[in-house]
Amino acid sequence: MPPRARSLPPTLGDVFTTARAREMGVTSRRLRATDLEHAFRGVRIAPEGDAGTDGRPLATDRRKRARVIRRARALTAVMSPHAFFAGETAAAIYGAPLRHGFDPESDLIVAVHAPHRPPRRQGVRGIKVVPSLASIVEYLGMRVSSPASTWAMMPELGERALIQLGDFLVFVPRDDRGKPRPEHRLATMTQLHNAASIFRRRGRAELLRAFARVRVGSASPLETDYRLAAEDAGLPEPALDVEVRDRAGRLIGISDAAYVSQRVIVEIEGDHHRTDRDQWDRDIAKYAALAAEGWEVIRLTARHVRAYPPSGPELVRAALARRS
């Protein structure tokens, strides 16, 4: 059995430079140990705790995003002060929906403003951008292209993915009591539009076309996909992220979409609604309360929304006809 690796100083953290480690008395031999990941030259990543084996999509996406953030933090330790994360790397850092097949081990996208030179380092794809096309913010202790700039720098995603990303960025989070927290959203509609409209922006027409279909209130790509499918099917545009209250004014719940005049609610249910027992119990109580207040609830899954043709809009159309 190989000898157990000597413990590292607890104040060193899980991502550190070899120079700092040596200053704290860590030997070169310990820094070469196989339990430390040699992420980038001069940087080490300590072993990660048990990440779990949950294979559900949401859990998988969380692990992928956590991995990107971990690698980005490692690179930040040796990155030029002029550089910042951009593109898909920045989107992952913000917690945005990941495209199908996203690889968290792919090259990190690092940008600089002209006239600085883009970085050349293994595991990094360096790019150079005109300063007016990418503003920079600090997020999670890292320099990152602003949320709106990140969105506008990726016209190659295609219209649907741009709409999904735009919906994510402008969504207004709520606290555990259901109160909106607009100060915590990542971008505003105005910021997205301004970023897309910059003169000589690559893919400007594609971005503006996608922006025209971005809405505030879709909390997930599946909710965005329902909204787009319903729009394409000719249904009226629903209210999104709706607070539904009983006759006494008490909050029953936050519904994904509502056709208020017909008192029809659409709930878009990911797999966690089925597999999480607490969520399942909350859903049953919520739907009973909504029915008692005269609402009809249409529950849709990914199969109703993403099949071709999608059946969800027709189920909603029938409910609206019943309620007209």
Side-chain angles (χ1 to χ4, degrees), residues 5-324:
R6 181 175 297 179
S7 298
L8 296 166
T11 55
L12 193 57
D14 62 335
V15 174
F16 54 88
T17 63
T18 55
R20 181 163 179 263
R22 289 193 182 97
E23 289 175 359
M24 299 181 69
V26 180
T27 66
S28 297
R29 181 178 179 181
R30 178 67 183 93
L31 291 173
R32 292 193 299 269
T34 56
D35 69 315
L36 297 179
E37 180 184 349
H38 297 210
F40 301 100
R41 185 176 180 180
V43 188
R44 299 291 185 268
I45 299 179
E48 194 170 7
D50 183 10
T53 57
D54 190 340
R56 289 176 293 182
L58 290 178
T60 299
D61 279 4
R62 281 194 294 268
R63 285 199 301 274
K64 287 182 177 181
R65 279 193 287 267
R67 176 60 181 161
V68 171
I69 291 171
R70 200 167 162 83
R71 293 180 63 224
R73 286 176 54 218
L75 183 60
T76 296
V78 291
M79 199 162 71
S80 162
H82 304 295
F84 56 96
F85 296 107
E88 201 166 29
T89 300
I93 290 172
Y94 285 124
L98 303 177
R99 62 174 170 81
H100 179 70
F102 174 80
D103 182 4
E105 304 300 329
S106 59
D107 289 351
L108 298 176
I109 301 173
V110 179
V112 294
H113 284 154
H116 296 291
R117 284 187 167 188
R120 300 180 63 183
R121 180 188 288 266
Q122 187 173 0
V124 171
R125 178 159 71 89
I127 60 175
K128 181 165 62 175
V129 297
V130 176
S132 63
L133 298 181
S135 58
I136 304 169
V137 299
E138 184 171 305
Y139 190 79
L140 300 181
M142 296 176 282
R143 283 167 54 87
V144 188
S145 57
S146 72
S149 295
T150 298
W151 178 79
M153 291 171 72
M154 296 193 290
E156 68 279 0
L157 287 179
E159 184 173 322
R160 180 167 293 267
L162 282 170
I163 297 169
Q164 291 174 340
L165 178 56
D167 279 6
F168 167 80
L169 294 174
V170 301
F171 181 75
V172 177
R174 293 177 179 270
D175 61 22
D176 55 4
R177 296 184 177 183
K179 183 178 180 180
R181 293 295 185 185
E183 69 275 14
H184 292 157
R185 67 180 162 185
L186 292 167
T188 65
M189 293 289 286
T190 299
Q191 288 168 341
L192 286 192
H193 184 266
N194 289 346
S197 301
I198 294 174
F199 180 64
R200 295 180 66 182
R201 166 76 73 187
R202 178 177 63 91
R204 184 172 181 267
E206 291 83 356
L207 290 165
L208 290 174
R209 188 160 51 245
F211 172 79
R213 301 188 75 181
V214 172
R215 297 290 184 272
V216 177
S218 289
S220 71
L222 187 57
E223 291 180 29
T224 296
D225 286 347
Y226 165 73
R227 180 172 60 75
L228 297 178
E231 182 181 322
D232 292 341
L235 292 179
E237 190 163 327
L240 305 175
D241 196 45
V242 180
E243 296 181 9
V244 184
R245 299 180 180 274
D246 64 16
R247 292 178 181 85
R250 292 184 294 266
L251 182 67
I252 296 174
I254 312 298
S255 290
D256 300 329
Y259 299 86
V260 178
S261 61
Q262 295 94 342
R263 295 186 75 78
V264 170
I265 280 175
V266 180
E267 291 290 339
I268 312 300
E269 301 192 348
D271 200 48
H272 68 286
H273 286 267
R274 178 183 62 84
T275 58
D276 187 319
R277 178 172 294 180
D278 290 338
Q279 180 70 57
W280 181 254
D281 290 341
R282 287 194 299 269
D283 287 345
I284 289 176
K286 174 182 172 180
Y287 299 147
L290 290 171
E293 293 296 321
W295 291 89
E296 181 172 351
V297 180
I298 306 299
R299 301 167 66 188
L300 303 178
T301 68
R303 183 172 295 179
H304 297 111
V305 173
R306 290 175 173 161
Y308 184 79
S311 60
E314 295 312 310
L315 295 174
V316 175
R317 191 192 307 278
L320 295 177
R322 286 193 297 273
R323 292 286 184 138
S324 292

